[in-house]
Amino acid sequence: MKLSTLVKIINFVKNVSDKVLPYSFQDFLLRKYGRGTYLSQVEFHLVDHCNLNCAHCNHFTPLADENFCKIDDIISDFKKLKVIFDNIGKIFILGGEPLLHPEILRILEPLREIYPKSEIIIITNGILLNKQNDEFFSTLKKYNIAVSMTHYPIKVDYEGWIKRFEEMGIKAYYFSLDRNKMKKQNLDINGKSDKNKAFSMCHEKNCHFVRDGKLYVCTPVPNICFLNKYFNLNFKVGKNDYIDLNKVKSASKINAIFKKPIDFCKYCTDKEIEFDTYRVSRKEINEWVKN
Ligand code: SF4
Ligand code: SF4
């Protein structure tokens, strides 16, 4: 059979399956058998700072300077991802607190256009929801953007918001902290952890993160700069700790890299996870670094 005929058959099957099969089933097939161009999830910061500043925040946002990420840079990152990954299961918009960004609505249409089938979800602490106008909610509905509220012990009526979103036809979830506890980061400043063990017990290794043309296996690596700067530390991020999207264009290569520990894992705890009662950060080093 000629190669061109084979390509036509593959495209025909792909088009038919895209139209006939429900997306959830396509998503399942892609995850299980993969066309080699599927990424389970990716997240990005819309802002680096936050209006809540929780102790132990794993994005280190209480230590970050106020920074509103450039919408055009984010769109450029997603165009680069699209060259590599046909489809991404879930795209999380967060920070910091993403609702602090005055141009949040400007990212939604291009994201939806680049990844029409992805579940796109804004992760918020909910504090600024009652400051949003009608245009905000109608844009979420128009582009099928979901909202996930993390349920902190603060005065936000999360359940009331779930009902309101339901009435507006917008998907919404809320995620409860485990009995108001925050996970301690317990980073090892000397890099003496067993990186294989740290990776195998890690709950963040699927929280892939994109920023400035680089794709990271997890959240702490791109954001460690905030901790380094604030306390004048030197947690090193080497060139093997991320993927340069201008150089690596193979989805299977990237997915293979994500299955193994990276150098940075030597800083993450290889001990049993510890928790602290929820509180606002005092910006003390032991909120992130092991004594
Ligand atoms: S609300 Fe979320 S992003 Fe903000 S400080 Fe708390 S954990 Fe970090
Ligand atoms: S550096 Fe490794 S162990 Fe640490 S959060 Fe990332 S994947 Fe997990």
Side-chain angles (χ1 to χ4, degrees), residues 105-186:
L105 295 185
R106 202 158 77 73
I107 189 70
L108 304 182
E109 183 181 1
L111 261 192
R112 179 49 80 212
E113 207 175 299
I114 298 169
Y115 280 110
K117 294 179 178 177
S118 299
E119 192 170 3
I120 302 178
I121 307 165
I122 297 172
I123 310 276
T124 174
N125 56 33
I127 294 172
L128 291 175
L129 279 172
N130 58 10
K131 299 264 187 277
Q132 304 306 312
N133 58 20
D134 290 350
E135 189 192 3
F136 173 81
F137 298 108
S138 61
T139 309
L140 297 195
K141 188 167 179 192
K142 181 172 179 192
Y143 297 113
N144 188 21
I145 310 293
V147 175
S148 175
M149 296 167 284
T150 314
H151 191 162
Y152 295 99
I154 54 175
K155 284 187 186 157
V156 173
D157 178 13
Y158 293 105
E159 284 171 13
W161 273 109
I162 291 284
K163 279 194 201 130
R164 266 171 265 170
F165 278 121
E166 206 175 58
E167 282 158 17
M168 289 186 273
I170 297 167
K171 268 193 226 160
Y173 321 93
Y174 78 92
F175 166 76
S176 284
L177 291 181
D178 178 16
R179 279 172 279 139
N180 296 340
K181 288 175 175 173
M182 291 290 276
K183 188 185 135 206
K184 287 185 170 183
Q185 300 300 307
N186 278 345

Coordinates of all heavy atoms in Angstrom, one line a residue, residues 105-186:
L105 N -9.6 37.3 31.2 CA -10.5 36.9 30.2 C -9.8 36.8 28.8 O -10.2 36.1 27.9 CB -11.7 37.9 30.1 CG -12.6 37.9 31.3 CD1 -13.8 38.8 31.0 CD2 -13.0 36.5 31.7
R106 N -8.7 37.5 28.6 CA -8.0 37.5 27.3 C -7.3 36.2 27.0 O -7.0 35.9 25.9 CB -7.0 38.7 27.3 CG -6.6 39.2 25.9 CD -6.1 40.6 25.9 NE -4.7 40.7 26.4 CZ -3.6 40.3 25.7 NH1 -3.7 39.7 24.5 NH2 -2.4 40.5 26.2
I107 N -7.0 35.4 28.0 CA -6.3 34.1 27.8 C -7.3 33.0 27.4 O -7.0 32.0 26.8 CB -5.5 33.7 29.0 CG1 -4.6 32.5 28.7 CG2 -6.4 33.3 30.2 CD1 -3.5 32.7 27.8
L108 N -8.6 33.2 27.7 CA -9.5 32.1 27.6 C -9.9 31.7 26.1 O -9.8 30.5 25.8 CB -10.8 32.4 28.4 CG -10.6 32.7 29.9 CD1 -11.9 32.9 30.5 CD2 -9.8 31.6 30.6
E109 N -10.1 32.7 25.3 CA -10.5 32.4 23.9 C -9.3 31.7 23.2 O -9.5 30.6 22.6 CB -10.9 33.6 23.2 CG -11.3 33.3 21.8 CD -11.8 34.5 21.0 OE1 -11.7 35.6 21.5 OE2 -12.1 34.4 19.8
P110 N -8.1 32.3 23.2 CA -7.0 31.6 22.5 C -6.7 30.2 23.1 O -6.4 29.3 22.3 CB -5.8 32.5 22.7 CG -6.2 33.6 23.6 CD -7.7 33.6 23.7
L111 N -6.8 30.0 24.4 CA -6.5 28.7 24.9 C -7.5 27.7 24.4 O -7.2 26.6 24.0 CB -6.7 28.7 26.5 CG -5.5 28.8 27.4 CD1 -5.9 28.5 28.8 CD2 -4.4 27.9 26.9
R112 N -8.8 28.1 24.4 CA -9.9 27.2 23.9 C -9.7 26.9 22.4 O -9.9 25.8 21.9 CB -11.2 27.8 24.2 CG -12.4 27.1 23.8 CD -12.4 25.6 24.2 NE -12.8 25.4 25.5 CZ -12.3 24.3 26.2 NH1 -11.4 23.5 25.7 NH2 -12.7 24.1 27.5
E113 N -9.2 27.9 21.7 CA -9.0 27.7 20.2 C -7.8 26.7 20.0 O -7.9 25.8 19.2 CB -8.6 29.1 19.7 CG -8.9 29.2 18.2 CD -8.7 30.6 17.8 OE1 -9.3 31.6 18.3 OE2 -7.8 30.8 16.9
I114 N -6.8 26.9 20.8 CA -5.6 26.0 20.6 C -5.9 24.5 21.0 O -5.6 23.6 20.4 CB -4.4 26.5 21.4 CG1 -4.0 27.9 20.8 CG2 -3.2 25.6 21.3 CD1 -3.0 28.7 21.7
Y115 N -6.6 24.4 22.2 CA -7.0 23.1 22.7 C -8.5 23.0 22.8 O -9.0 23.1 24.0 CB -6.2 22.8 24.0 CG -4.8 22.4 23.8 CD1 -3.7 23.2 24.1 CD2 -4.5 21.1 23.2 CE1 -2.4 22.8 23.8 CE2 -3.2 20.7 22.9 CZ -2.2 21.6 23.2 OH -0.9 21.1 23.0
P116 N -9.2 22.8 21.7 CA -10.7 22.8 21.8 C -11.3 21.7 22.7 O -12.4 21.8 23.2 CB -11.1 22.6 20.3 CG -9.9 22.2 19.6 CD -8.7 22.6 20.4
K117 N -10.5 20.6 22.9 CA -11.2 19.5 23.6 C -10.7 19.4 25.1 O -11.2 18.5 25.8 CB -10.9 18.2 22.9 CG -11.5 18.1 21.6 CD -11.1 16.8 20.9 CE -11.8 16.7 19.6 NZ -11.4 15.4 18.9
S118 N -9.7 20.1 25.5 CA -9.2 20.0 26.8 C -10.2 20.5 27.9 O -11.0 21.4 27.6 CB -7.9 20.9 27.0 OG -6.9 20.4 26.1
E119 N -10.1 19.9 29.0 CA -10.8 20.5 30.2 C -9.9 21.7 30.7 O -8.8 21.5 31.1 CB -11.0 19.5 31.3 CG -12.0 20.0 32.3 CD -12.5 18.9 33.2 OE1 -12.0 17.7 33.2 OE2 -13.3 19.2 34.1
I120 N -10.5 22.9 30.6 CA -9.7 24.1 31.1 C -10.3 24.5 32.4 O -11.5 24.8 32.5 CB -9.7 25.2 30.0 CG1 -9.1 24.7 28.7 CG2 -8.9 26.4 30.5 CD1 -9.2 25.7 27.5
I121 N -9.5 24.7 33.4 CA -10.0 24.9 34.7 C -9.2 26.0 35.4 O -8.0 26.0 35.5 CB -9.9 23.6 35.6 CG1 -10.5 22.4 34.9 CG2 -10.5 23.8 37.0 CD1 -10.1 21.1 35.5
I122 N -10.0 27.0 35.9 CA -9.4 28.1 36.8 C -9.4 27.6 38.2 O -10.4 27.2 38.7 CB -10.2 29.4 36.7 CG1 -10.2 29.9 35.2 CG2 -9.6 30.4 37.6 CD1 -11.1 31.1 35.0
I123 N -8.2 27.6 38.8 CA -8.1 27.2 40.2 C -8.0 28.4 41.1 O -7.1 29.2 40.9 CB -6.8 26.3 40.5 CG1 -6.6 25.2 39.5 CG2 -6.8 25.9 41.9 CD1 -7.4 24.0 39.8
T124 N -9.0 28.6 42.0 CA -9.0 29.9 42.7 C -9.3 29.6 44.2 O -9.9 28.6 44.5 CB -10.1 30.8 42.2 OG1 -10.2 31.9 43.0 CG2 -11.5 30.1 42.1
N125 N -8.9 30.5 45.1 CA -9.2 30.4 46.5 C -10.6 31.0 46.7 O -11.2 31.0 47.8 CB -8.2 31.1 47.4 CG -7.9 32.5 47.0 OD1 -8.8 33.2 46.6 ND2 -6.7 33.0 47.2
G126 N -11.2 31.6 45.7 CA -12.6 32.1 45.7 C -12.8 33.5 46.3 O -13.9 34.1 46.2
I127 N -11.7 34.1 46.9 CA -11.9 35.4 47.5 C -12.5 36.5 46.6 O -13.3 37.3 47.0 CB -10.6 35.8 48.2 CG1 -10.2 34.9 49.3 CG2 -10.7 37.3 48.7 CD1 -8.8 35.2 49.9
L128 N -12.0 36.4 45.4 CA -12.4 37.5 44.4 C -13.6 37.2 43.5 O -14.0 38.0 42.7 CB -11.2 37.9 43.5 CG -10.0 38.5 44.3 CD1 -8.8 38.7 43.3 CD2 -10.5 39.9 44.8
L129 N -14.2 36.0 43.8 CA -15.4 35.7 42.9 C -16.5 36.7 43.0 O -17.1 37.0 42.0 CB -15.9 34.3 43.3 CG -15.1 33.1 42.8 CD1 -15.6 31.8 43.4 CD2 -15.2 33.0 41.3
N130 N -16.8 37.2 44.2 CA -17.9 38.2 44.2 C -17.5 39.6 43.7 O -18.3 40.5 43.7 CB -18.5 38.3 45.6 CG -17.4 38.7 46.6 OD1 -16.3 39.1 46.2 ND2 -17.7 38.6 47.9
K131 N -16.3 39.7 43.2 CA -15.9 41.0 42.5 C -16.0 40.9 41.0 O -15.8 41.9 40.3 CB -14.5 41.4 42.9 CG -14.2 41.6 44.4 CD -14.3 43.1 44.7 CE -13.9 43.4 46.1 NZ -14.8 43.2 47.1
Q132 N -16.3 39.7 40.5 CA -16.4 39.5 39.1 C -17.7 40.0 38.5 O -18.7 39.9 39.1 CB -16.2 38.0 38.7 CG -14.9 37.4 39.3 CD -13.7 38.1 38.9 OE1 -13.4 38.5 37.8 NE2 -12.9 38.4 39.9
N133 N -17.6 40.5 37.2 CA -18.8 41.1 36.6 C -19.4 40.0 35.7 O -18.9 38.9 35.5 CB -18.5 42.4 35.8 CG -17.4 42.1 34.8 OD1 -17.1 41.0 34.4 ND2 -16.7 43.1 34.4
D134 N -20.6 40.4 35.0 CA -21.3 39.5 34.2 C -20.4 39.0 33.0 O -20.5 37.8 32.6 CB -22.5 40.2 33.6 CG -23.6 40.5 34.6 OD1 -23.4 39.9 35.8 OD2 -24.5 41.2 34.4
E135 N -19.6 39.9 32.5 CA -18.7 39.5 31.4 C -17.8 38.3 31.8 O -17.6 37.4 31.0 CB -17.9 40.6 30.9 CG -17.2 40.3 29.6 CD -16.1 41.4 29.3 OE1 -15.8 42.3 30.1 OE2 -15.5 41.2 28.2
F136 N -17.3 38.3 33.0 CA -16.5 37.2 33.4 C -17.2 35.9 33.3 O -16.8 34.9 32.7 CB -16.0 37.5 34.9 CG -15.3 36.3 35.5 CD1 -13.9 36.1 35.3 CD2 -15.9 35.4 36.4 CE1 -13.2 35.1 35.8 CE2 -15.2 34.4 36.9 CZ -13.9 34.2 36.7
F137 N -18.4 35.8 33.9 CA -19.2 34.6 34.0 C -19.6 34.2 32.6 O -19.6 33.0 32.2 CB -20.4 34.7 34.9 CG -19.9 34.9 36.3 CD1 -20.1 36.2 36.9 CD2 -19.3 33.9 37.1 CE1 -19.6 36.4 38.2 CE2 -18.8 34.2 38.4 CZ -19.0 35.4 38.9
S138 N -20.1 35.1 31.7 CA -20.5 34.7 30.4 C -19.4 34.3 29.5 O -19.5 33.4 28.7 CB -21.3 35.9 29.7 OG -20.4 37.0 29.6
T139 N -18.2 34.8 29.8 CA -17.0 34.3 29.0 C -16.6 32.9 29.4 O -16.3 32.0 28.6 CB -15.8 35.3 29.2 OG1 -16.2 36.6 29.0 CG2 -14.6 34.9 28.3
L140 N -16.7 32.6 30.7 CA -16.5 31.2 31.2 C -17.4 30.2 30.5 O -17.0 29.2 30.0 CB -16.6 31.0 32.7 CG -15.7 31.8 33.6 CD1 -15.8 31.2 35.0 CD2 -14.3 31.8 33.2
K141 N -18.7 30.7 30.4 CA -19.7 29.8 29.8 C -19.4 29.6 28.3 O -19.5 28.5 27.8 CB -21.1 30.4 30.1 CG -22.2 29.4 29.6 CD -23.5 29.8 30.1 CE -24.5 28.8 29.6 NZ -25.8 29.2 29.8
K142 N -19.2 30.8 27.7 CA -18.9 30.7 26.2 C -17.8 29.8 25.8 O -17.9 29.1 24.8 CB -18.6 32.2 25.8 CG -18.4 32.3 24.3 CD -18.3 33.8 23.9 CE -18.0 33.9 22.4 NZ -17.7 35.3 22.1
Y143 N -16.7 29.8 26.6 CA -15.6 29.0 26.2 C -15.5 27.7 27.0 O -14.4 27.0 27.0 CB -14.3 29.8 26.3 CG -14.3 31.0 25.3 CD1 -14.3 32.3 25.8 CD2 -14.3 30.7 23.9 CE1 -14.4 33.3 24.9 CE2 -14.4 31.8 23.1 CZ -14.4 33.1 23.5 OH -14.5 34.1 22.6
N144 N -16.5 27.4 27.7 CA -16.6 26.1 28.5 C -15.4 26.0 29.4 O -14.6 25.0 29.4 CB -16.7 24.9 27.5 CG -16.9 23.6 28.3 OD1 -17.4 23.6 29.4 ND2 -16.6 22.5 27.6
I145 N -15.2 27.0 30.3 CA -14.1 27.0 31.2 C -14.7 26.7 32.6 O -15.7 27.3 33.0 CB -13.4 28.4 31.3 CG1 -13.1 28.9 29.9 CG2 -12.2 28.4 32.3 CD1 -12.0 28.2 29.2
A146 N -14.1 25.7 33.3 CA -14.6 25.3 34.6 C -13.8 26.1 35.7 O -12.8 26.7 35.5 CB -14.4 23.8 34.8
V147 N -14.4 26.1 36.9 CA -13.8 26.7 38.1 C -13.6 25.7 39.2 O -14.6 25.0 39.5 CB -14.7 27.9 38.6 CG1 -14.1 28.5 39.8 CG2 -14.8 29.0 37.5
S148 N -12.4 25.6 39.7 CA -12.2 24.7 40.9 C -11.8 25.6 42.0 O -10.8 26.3 42.0 CB -11.2 23.7 40.5 OG -10.9 22.9 41.7
M149 N -12.6 25.5 43.1 CA -12.3 26.3 44.3 C -11.6 25.5 45.3 O -12.1 24.4 45.7 CB -13.6 26.9 44.9 CG -14.2 27.9 43.9 SD -15.9 28.3 44.4 CE -16.8 26.8 44.0
T150 N -10.5 25.9 45.8 CA -9.8 25.2 46.9 C -10.4 25.7 48.2 O -10.5 26.9 48.4 CB -8.3 25.4 46.9 OG1 -7.8 25.2 45.6 CG2 -7.6 24.4 47.8
H151 N -10.9 24.8 49.0 CA -11.7 25.2 50.2 C -10.8 25.5 51.4 O -10.4 24.5 52.1 CB -12.7 24.0 50.5 CG -13.7 24.4 51.5 ND1 -14.9 23.7 51.6 CD2 -13.8 25.4 52.4 CE1 -15.6 24.2 52.6 NE2 -15.0 25.2 53.1
Y152 N -10.4 26.7 51.6 CA -9.6 27.1 52.7 C -10.5 27.5 53.9 O -11.6 27.9 53.6 CB -8.7 28.3 52.3 CG -7.6 27.9 51.3 CD1 -7.9 28.2 49.9 CD2 -6.5 27.2 51.6 CE1 -7.0 27.9 49.0 CE2 -5.6 26.9 50.6 CZ -5.8 27.2 49.3 OH -4.9 26.8 48.3
P153 N -10.0 27.4 55.1 CA -10.8 27.9 56.2 C -10.9 29.4 56.3 O -10.4 30.0 57.2 CB -10.0 27.3 57.5 CG -8.6 27.1 57.0 CD -8.7 26.9 55.5
I154 N -11.6 30.0 55.3 CA -11.8 31.4 55.3 C -13.2 31.7 54.9 O -14.0 30.7 54.6 CB -10.8 32.1 54.2 CG1 -11.1 31.4 52.8 CG2 -9.4 32.0 54.6 CD1 -10.3 32.0 51.7
K155 N -13.6 33.0 55.0 CA -15.0 33.3 54.8 C -15.4 33.4 53.3 O -15.5 34.5 52.8 CB -15.4 34.6 55.5 CG -15.5 34.4 57.0 CD -16.0 35.7 57.7 CE -15.9 35.5 59.2 NZ -15.9 36.7 59.9
V156 N -15.5 32.2 52.7 CA -16.0 32.2 51.3 C -17.1 31.1 51.3 O -16.9 30.1 51.8 CB -14.9 31.9 50.3 CG1 -15.5 31.7 48.9 CG2 -13.8 32.9 50.3
D157 N -18.2 31.5 50.7 CA -19.4 30.5 50.7 C -19.2 29.6 49.5 O -19.8 29.7 48.4 CB -20.7 31.3 50.5 CG -21.9 30.4 50.5 OD1 -21.7 29.2 50.7 OD2 -23.0 30.9 50.1
Y158 N -18.3 28.6 49.7 CA -18.0 27.7 48.5 C -19.2 27.0 48.0 O -19.4 26.8 46.8 CB -16.9 26.7 48.9 CG -15.5 27.4 49.2 CD1 -15.0 27.6 50.5 CD2 -14.7 27.9 48.2 CE1 -13.8 28.2 50.7 CE2 -13.5 28.5 48.4 CZ -13.1 28.7 49.7 OH -11.9 29.3 49.9
E159 N -20.0 26.5 49.0 CA -21.2 25.7 48.5 C -22.2 26.6 47.8 O -22.8 26.2 46.8 CB -21.8 25.0 49.7 CG -21.0 23.8 50.1 CD -21.4 23.1 51.3 OE1 -22.5 23.4 51.8 OE2 -20.6 22.3 51.8
G160 N -22.3 27.8 48.3 CA -23.2 28.8 47.6 C -22.7 29.0 46.2 O -23.5 29.1 45.2
W161 N -21.4 29.1 46.0 CA -20.8 29.4 44.7 C -21.1 28.2 43.8 O -21.3 28.4 42.6 CB -19.3 29.7 44.8 CG -19.1 31.2 45.0 CD1 -18.7 31.8 46.1 CD2 -19.4 32.2 44.0 NE1 -18.7 33.2 45.9 CE2 -19.1 33.5 44.6 CE3 -19.9 32.3 42.7 CZ2 -19.3 34.7 44.0 CZ3 -20.1 33.5 42.1 CH2 -19.8 34.7 42.7
I162 N -21.0 27.0 44.3 CA -21.2 25.8 43.5 C -22.6 25.9 42.9 O -22.8 25.7 41.7 CB -21.1 24.5 44.3 CG1 -19.6 24.3 44.7 CG2 -21.6 23.3 43.6 CD1 -18.7 23.8 43.6
K163 N -23.6 26.3 43.7 CA -25.0 26.4 43.3 C -25.1 27.5 42.2 O -25.8 27.3 41.2 CB -25.9 26.7 44.4 CG -26.3 25.5 45.2 CD -27.5 25.8 46.2 CE -27.4 24.8 47.3 NZ -27.5 25.4 48.6
R164 N -24.5 28.6 42.5 CA -24.6 29.7 41.5 C -24.0 29.4 40.1 O -24.5 29.7 39.1 CB -23.9 31.0 42.1 CG -24.9 31.9 42.8 CD -24.2 33.0 43.5 NE -24.0 32.6 44.9 CZ -23.3 33.3 45.8 NH1 -22.6 34.4 45.4 NH2 -23.1 32.9 47.0
F165 N -22.8 28.7 40.2 CA -22.2 28.3 38.9 C -23.1 27.3 38.2 O -23.3 27.4 37.0 CB -20.8 27.6 39.2 CG -19.7 28.6 39.4 CD1 -19.0 28.7 40.5 CD2 -19.4 29.5 38.4 CE1 -18.0 29.6 40.7 CE2 -18.4 30.5 38.5 CZ -17.7 30.5 39.7
E166 N -23.7 26.4 39.0 CA -24.6 25.4 38.3 C -25.8 26.1 37.6 O -26.1 25.8 36.5 CB -25.2 24.5 39.4 CG -25.6 23.1 38.9 CD -26.0 22.3 40.1 OE1 -26.9 22.7 40.8 OE2 -25.4 21.2 40.3
E167 N -26.3 27.1 38.3 CA -27.4 27.9 37.7 C -27.0 28.6 36.4 O -27.8 28.8 35.5 CB -28.0 28.9 38.7 CG -28.9 28.3 39.8 CD -29.0 29.2 41.0 OE1 -28.6 30.4 40.9 OE2 -29.4 28.7 42.0
M168 N -25.7 29.0 36.4 CA -25.2 29.8 35.2 C -24.8 28.8 34.1 O -24.3 29.3 33.1 CB -24.1 30.7 35.6 CG -24.5 31.9 36.5 SD -23.1 33.0 36.8 CE -22.3 32.3 38.2
G169 N -24.8 27.5 34.4 CA -24.4 26.5 33.4 C -22.8 26.5 33.2 O -22.3 26.2 32.2
I170 N -22.1 26.8 34.4 CA -20.7 26.7 34.4 C -20.3 25.6 35.3 O -20.8 25.4 36.4 CB -20.1 28.1 34.9 CG1 -20.5 29.2 33.9 CG2 -18.6 28.0 35.0 CD1 -20.2 30.6 34.5
K171 N -19.3 24.7 34.8 CA -18.9 23.6 35.6 C -18.1 24.2 36.8 O -17.2 25.1 36.6 CB -17.9 22.7 34.8 CG -18.6 21.6 34.1 CD -17.6 20.6 33.6 CE -17.9 20.2 32.2 NZ -16.8 19.7 31.5
A172 N -18.3 23.7 38.0 CA -17.5 24.1 39.1 C -17.4 23.0 40.1 O -18.2 22.1 40.2 CB -18.3 25.3 39.8
Y173 N -16.2 23.0 40.8 CA -15.9 22.0 41.8 C -15.4 22.7 43.0 O -14.9 23.9 42.9 CB -14.8 21.1 41.3 CG -14.8 20.7 39.9 CD1 -14.1 21.4 38.9 CD2 -15.6 19.6 39.5 CE1 -14.2 21.1 37.6 CE2 -15.6 19.2 38.1 CZ -14.9 20.0 37.2 OH -15.0 19.6 35.9
Y174 N -15.4 22.1 44.1 CA -14.5 22.6 45.2 C -13.8 21.4 45.9 O -14.2 20.3 45.9 CB -15.2 23.5 46.2 CG -16.1 22.9 47.2 CD1 -15.5 22.6 48.5 CD2 -17.4 22.8 47.0 CE1 -16.4 22.1 49.5 CE2 -18.2 22.3 48.0 CZ -17.7 21.9 49.2 OH -18.5 21.5 50.2
F175 N -12.6 21.8 46.3 CA -11.6 20.8 46.7 C -11.3 21.1 48.2 O -10.8 22.2 48.4 CB -10.4 20.9 45.8 CG -9.2 20.2 46.3 CD1 -9.1 18.8 46.2 CD2 -8.1 20.9 46.8 CE1 -8.0 18.1 46.7 CE2 -7.0 20.2 47.3 CZ -6.9 18.8 47.2
S176 N -11.6 20.2 49.1 CA -11.4 20.5 50.5 C -10.0 20.2 50.9 O -9.4 19.1 50.5 CB -12.3 19.7 51.4 OG -13.6 20.2 51.3
L177 N -9.4 21.0 51.7 CA -8.1 20.7 52.3 C -8.4 19.6 53.3 O -9.4 19.5 53.9 CB -7.5 21.8 53.1 CG -7.0 23.0 52.3 CD1 -6.4 24.1 53.3 CD2 -5.9 22.6 51.3
D178 N -7.4 18.7 53.5 CA -7.6 17.6 54.4 C -7.6 18.1 55.9 O -6.6 18.4 56.5 CB -6.5 16.6 54.2 CG -6.5 15.4 55.2 OD1 -7.6 15.2 55.7 OD2 -5.5 14.7 55.3
R179 N -8.8 18.2 56.4 CA -9.0 18.7 57.8 C -8.2 19.9 58.1 O -7.4 20.0 59.0 CB -8.8 17.6 58.8 CG -10.0 16.7 59.0 CD -9.7 15.5 59.8 NE -9.0 14.5 59.1 CZ -7.9 13.8 59.5 NH1 -7.5 13.9 60.7 NH2 -7.4 12.9 58.7
N180 N -8.2 20.9 57.1 CA -7.5 22.2 57.3 C -6.0 22.0 57.5 O -5.4 22.8 58.2 CB -8.1 23.0 58.5 CG -9.6 23.4 58.2 OD1 -10.0 23.3 57.0 ND2 -10.3 23.7 59.2
K181 N -5.5 21.0 56.8 CA -4.0 20.8 57.0 C -3.3 21.2 55.7 O -3.8 21.0 54.6 CB -3.7 19.4 57.3 CG -4.1 19.0 58.8 CD -3.9 17.6 59.0 CE -4.2 17.2 60.4 NZ -4.2 15.8 60.6
M182 N -2.1 21.7 55.8 CA -1.2 21.9 54.7 C 0.0 21.0 54.7 O 0.5 20.8 55.8 CB -0.7 23.4 54.7 CG -1.8 24.4 54.5 SD -2.5 24.5 52.8 CE -1.3 25.5 52.0
K183 N 0.3 20.5 53.6 CA 1.5 19.6 53.5 C 2.8 20.4 53.7 O 3.0 21.4 53.0 CB 1.5 18.9 52.1 CG 2.5 17.8 52.0 CD 2.4 17.3 50.6 CE 3.9 17.1 50.1 NZ 4.1 17.2 48.7
K184 N 3.6 19.9 54.6 CA 4.9 20.6 54.7 C 5.8 20.2 53.5 O 5.9 19.0 53.1 CB 5.6 20.1 56.0 CG 5.0 20.7 57.3 CD 5.8 20.3 58.4 CE 5.4 20.9 59.7 NZ 6.3 20.6 60.8
Q185 N 6.6 21.2 53.0 CA 7.5 20.9 51.9 C 8.7 20.1 52.3 O 9.2 19.2 51.7 CB 7.8 22.2 51.2 CG 6.7 22.9 50.6 CD 5.9 22.1 49.6 OE1 6.4 21.6 48.7 NE2 4.6 22.0 49.8
N186 N 9.3 20.5 53.5 CA 10.5 19.8 54.0 C 11.6 19.6 53.0 O 12.1 18.5 52.9 CB 10.1 18.5 54.6 CG 9.5 18.7 56.0 OD1 9.7 19.7 56.7 ND2 8.8 17.6 56.6

